[in-house]
Amino acid sequence: MALTPAEILRALQPAPPPDPLAGSKWDVVIVGGGHNGLTAAAYLARAGKRVVVLERRDRLGGASTLEEMWPGYVISPCAYLAGLFHQRVIDELGLKSHGLEIVIGDPTYFAPFDDGASFTSWLDPEKTAASIRTFSPGDVDGHFAREALFDRIRDALRPAGDEDVWLDGPPTRAEIEDLLGGDPELIATLFEDSQVDHLRRFYKDERLVTAYAGQGIIGTNASPFDPGTASIDFHHASGRQEGNPGEWGFVMGGMGAVSHALHQAALAAGAVIAVNHPVERIVPGEGVELASGGMVHANIVVANADPAATAQLLGSSAPPDFTNATKAVPRESATVKVTFALTDLPDFGVPHATRAQVEIARSAEAIHESFLAAKRGEVSDELWCELYFQTPYDPSIAPAGKHVLSAFCQYVPYTWADRRPWDDHRNEVGDRVIASIERFAPGFGGLVEHMHVDGPPDLEKRIGLTGGHIFHGSCLPEHMWDRRLSYRTGAPGVYLCGAGTYPGGSVIGINGKNAARAVLVDHSDD
């Protein structure tokens, strides 16, 4: 029987292990109980390794967890949707038997425009075409040509089955170009194009450019006019969640249900999981030193912490190449996550809007101006916002009749120009997000019962994301594929498994699987 969100939350806060961990000996210590750390733990324990996971917080999941922010609201405070979670991990670890359920949204996408028109994308392409015809009939062919372009890249690089490049070592650009048949359009999409240039090749109507401009900047401190941002759009459309190419879905019970299923799979394989066990230092070849004192001994350490945090834990033991590689990846985030408890769903003018991913933007140029404002240490009057309403699909996460909105927004500064702390600007940012939404859903502010604003420093402090970067560092082309951080740090027996490694950021799980495989290849005789 499926667990309630409250039951999942309690399960993500497990009781302490029966025996003290200081002084204990293991084959593998995993630092961090995020979803990739739990994935690695499950695979390594299934391979016969004695594995212990040490999580510094009081709950598992990292950015994919649950919190009861307000009474009766058990929700995902950071990660909010699943689209890239790898089917191989789901199947091999039997996660559905541990309660994992992902429901693909339909409609999939909704973008309102200033003139009162709107665009809706559906799983049914005929319904999508009909939506475009209501305001820009000449763009129907271009829309499906763009989708076909992404299909060609996805089928070449990430076909369903064993040929998916995410299941192997990271390919070089030359290898990717070969898989793409040398097609200059596909190559430019992955490595060179700005999101705006990419979109304007397919759409004549600027409203559709506005609708999709934000897909090139998700979690990325760049303008949609910057080279390489089209690749961000493809990265997030490269999955096949629940057999639906390019689509995203809601995890029933909240994103913590992903980590709960992985936790249960790791426990079933024999791993030991401990929360409230912060690690002070990684000692290659020996294990880890706990912040509370004492060593947990192991020849192998796998860090689910981001690469910069891992370098700090290694200290003087960090190889120079690894330290330099971590420093080369930009990590200062420009994203803000605003979670709302609502007394009712807002009205965007069509009844289906709140069942879709809602895009809030005035124009690509306005998004660019917001980017420049954040660079100056300011926040613009209006932000690009991506809105997710889970309660129409999953009312279990809120009190009866109430709703939850997860608003993922850009851009905000990490450091304000006036040098005041984030707390001094928190309400201002929240008010600007409300104002941005109200432009298309009048009266939205009156529905807000509670609001929680997480800026980059908040995610850094609470989740441990250096710079507040949700992907452990930039996912622009110069930091992807074989340029992502290696699973092997170069320090003896020390590995990475988080979003800073290949294939990149999001709730994927394959980073943890691939890191576990690297460990098993290197220590096959242990």
Side-chain angles (χ1 to χ4, degrees):
M1 186 170 65
L3 298 181
T4 67
E7 289 170 331
I8 296 171
L9 173 59
R10 287 194 292 272
L12 291 173
Q13 299 171 293
D19 299 315
L21 294 177
S24 59
K25 173 68 176 177
W26 305 82
D27 296 324
V28 183
V29 173
I30 295 180
V31 180
H35 82 279
N36 278 309
L38 294 169
T39 302
Y43 277 101
L44 289 168
R46 282 159 60 101
K49 300 292 185 184
R50 294 185 66 249
V51 179
V52 62
V53 178
L54 305 177
E55 167 56 44
R56 69 179 181 88
R57 300 180 68 210
D58 67 347
R59 70 198 63 208
L60 298 168
S64 189
T65 191
L66 294 178
E67 292 182 15
E68 187 172 20
M69 284 188 170
W70 309 286
Y73 292 91
V74 182
I75 51 185
S76 309
C78 191
Y80 44 83
L81 212 61
L84 300 179
F85 194 38
H86 207 287
Q87 192 64 42
R88 185 65 59 88
V89 174
I90 294 172
D91 292 344
E92 290 181 345
L93 298 183
L95 299 186
K96 291 192 175 182
S97 70
H98 294 298
L100 179 67
E101 181 184 2
I102 300 172
V103 175
I104 302 299
D106 192 26
T108 60
Y109 204 81
F110 175 79
F113 306 124
D114 277 333
D115 62 1
S118 64
F119 163 64
T120 305
S121 174
W122 303 80
L123 292 177
D124 181 350
E126 287 302 318
K127 294 175 72 173
T128 303
S131 175
I132 297 173
R133 288 191 193 101
T134 64
F135 66 94
S136 185
D139 274 320
V140 171
D141 289 346
H143 176 80
F144 289 106
R146 191 172 92 89
E147 288 201 345
L149 175 84
F150 275 19
D151 288 344
R152 289 164 61 199
I153 300 175
R154 188 188 305 108
D155 290 346
L157 301 183
R158 301 208 53 218
D162 293 340
E163 301 305 312
D164 180 356
V165 296
W166 281 14
L167 294 171
D168 204 352
T172 65
R173 175 164 177 170
E175 290 169 333
I176 292 169
E177 290 185 2
D178 184 58
L179 288 169
L180 296 176
D183 188 310
E185 185 178 29
L186 307 188
I187 293 166
T189 302
L190 273 190
F191 292 100
E192 298 157 9
D193 288 345
S194 77
Q195 178 71 344
V196 171
D197 286 345
H198 163 72
L199 293 171
R200 285 176 176 166
R201 279 201 289 276
F202 292 94
Y203 297 123
K204 303 179 184 70
D205 193 312
E206 278 296 306
R207 288 173 291 187
L208 283 164
V209 175
T210 298
Y212 282 108
Q215 296 308 293
I217 60 164
I218 298 168
T220 301
N221 200 348
S223 161
F225 290 86
D226 285 347
T229 47
S231 70
I232 300 293
D233 192 351
F234 173 74
H235 176 70
H236 288 88
S238 67
R240 300 175 184 273
Q241 202 72 70
E242 298 297 301
N244 295 274
E247 304 299 350
W248 290 68
F250 293 97
V251 177
M252 297 298 98
M255 289 300 291
V258 171
S259 298
H260 168 71
L262 289 165
H263 175 211
Q264 296 305 306
L267 290 177
V272 171
I273 317 286
V275 296
N276 293 312
H277 275 70
V279 169
E280 183 72 21
R281 188 164 63 105
I282 296 173
V283 184
E286 296 184 41
V288 301
E289 181 182 327
L290 297 173
S292 58
M295 290 284 296
V296 178
H297 299 281
N299 293 331
I300 302 166
V301 176
V302 180
N304 192 190
D306 72 41
T310 301
Q312 288 187 333
L313 290 173
L314 281 165
S316 60
S317 298
D321 287 349
F322 174 69
T323 300
N324 292 336
T326 66
K327 290 179 178 178
V329 182
R331 287 191 172 80
E332 188 169 293
S333 175
T335 65
V336 60
K337 172 75 183 297
V338 187
T339 306
F340 295 98
L342 305 176
T343 57
D344 203 352
L345 292 170
D347 183 3
F348 288 95
V350 296
H352 59 254
T354 53
R355 294 186 66 84
Q357 168 184 325
V358 180
E359 295 293 302
I360 298 295
R362 186 158 42 89
S363 67
E365 285 75 16
I367 295 174
H368 176 70
E369 289 301 318
S370 182
F371 166 72
L372 295 179
K375 285 288 188 185
R376 297 191 300 269
E378 303 167 356
V379 62
S380 57
D381 290 340
E382 297 171 357
L383 286 79
W384 167 74
C385 303
E386 193 163 81
L387 312 180
Y388 298 93
F389 300 86
Q390 177 147 345
T391 36
Y393 293 93
D394 178 16
S396 70
I397 66 172
K402 302 296 181 70
H403 294 277
V404 171
L405 164 59
S406 295
F408 182 76
C409 312
Q410 290 175 222
Y411 302 85
V412 295
Y414 179 89
T415 302
W416 294 88
D418 60 15
R419 299 296 172 182
R420 288 160 54 198
W422 243 91
D423 278 346
D424 289 356
H425 291 276
R426 195 176 306 282
N427 289 337
E428 173 190 8
V429 171
D431 289 344
R432 302 222 176 163
V433 170
I434 291 173
S436 301
I437 298 171
E438 279 202 318
R439 290 181 58 249
F440 301 103
F444 169 73
L447 305 177
V448 176
E449 186 175 57
H450 303 287
M451 177 177 71
H452 180 85
V453 179
D454 271 329
D458 301 308
L459 298 180
E460 182 174 60
K461 180 179 180 181
R462 191 170 79 252
I463 309 296
L465 302 171
T466 303
H469 205 295
I470 60 172
F471 301 142
H472 289 194
S474 172
C475 282
L476 286 168
E478 58 265 37
H479 305 293
M480 289 292 279
W481 309 107
D482 62 331
R483 298 187 177 190
R484 206 80 183 146
L485 269 291
S486 171
Y487 307 118
R488 299 171 175 90
T489 67
V494 180
Y495 298 79
L496 286 177
C497 71
T501 63
Y502 173 75
S506 190
V507 176
I508 295 177
I510 211 68
N511 310 63
K513 172 182 167 63
N514 288 350
R517 182 179 60 188
V519 170
L520 295 173
V521 167
D522 293 351
H523 299 271
S524 59
D525 297 329
D526 291 4

